[in-house]
Amino acid sequence: MAYDNENIFAKILRGEISCDKVYENDHALAFKDINPQAPVHILVIPKGPYVSYADFGQQASDAELAGFMRAVGEVAKQLGVTERGSRILSNQGEDGHQEVPHFHVHLFGGKDLGRMIKPIDK
Ligand code: AMP
């Protein structure tokens, strides 16, 4: 899938749309999800044009990969969810219900998040 420069996170990165920023480094930006699903719900995105985690994992440089993971760790620490716990999640494609085609991880925390996903029907 080709990267779409007009996706909403690309517009946030270009400063065309505002966001509620919580952290930024050379390779990543973190901001509050506009429709939070938990008391802490942050999106962490790379600054480069990657569609998904698969794309990012295969195409990004070592510096981008490191900068992105450092950002996730810094955000969790900054928002105080390292002690009680949290969850990161990344949706990809149709089965994963990805809405925005710019790679991002959701960081959830601030409450008991329950089990990871629903068990499959047997
Ligand atoms: P998904 O692609 O399914 O992982 O979900 C995209 C997420 O982006 C959703 O949780 C939306 O609430 C969030 N979102 C969409 N537009 C914005 C925006 N302008 N600012 C912050 N979060 C957004």
Side-chain angles (χ1 to χ4, degrees):
M1 185 185 184
Y3 184 78
D4 171 14
N5 276 310
E6 296 308 311
N7 79 74
I8 197 142
F9 294 170
K11 290 180 180 176
I12 286 174
L13 285 167
R14 291 197 295 268
E16 294 166 14
I17 291 177
S18 63
C19 70
D20 197 346
K21 181 167 88 172
V22 297
Y23 179 82
E24 182 173 13
N25 67 22
D26 286 349
H27 298 293
L29 175 68
F31 51 92
K32 292 184 180 172
D33 194 292
I34 206 167
N35 183 22
Q37 307 292 313
V40 171
H41 185 175
I42 305 299
L43 299 172
V44 187
I45 70 173
K47 291 186 173 177
Y50 302 102
V51 176
S52 65
Y53 64 80
D55 186 23
F56 184 64
Q58 289 175 322
Q59 308 296 335
S61 68
D62 289 355
E64 289 176 297
L65 293 167
F68 181 80
M69 288 311 294
R70 288 257 184 253
V72 175
E74 286 296 329
V75 168
K77 186 177 160 200
Q78 191 176 308
L79 294 176
V81 296
T82 52
E83 282 288 311
R84 282 203 41 196
S86 62
R87 176 173 297 151
I88 61 170
L89 179 152
S90 184
N91 298 316
Q92 189 202 345
E94 203 178 324
D95 280 358
H97 290 247
Q98 182 177 5
E99 290 170 14
V100 180
H102 180 111
F103 169 53
H104 51 282
V105 298
H106 298 253
L107 172 70
F108 300 105
K111 69 167 192 173
D112 182 333
L113 297 163
R115 302 280 301 203
M116 186 167 62
I117 56 174
K118 288 186 207 140
I120 54 170
D121 294 331
K122 294 231 170 98

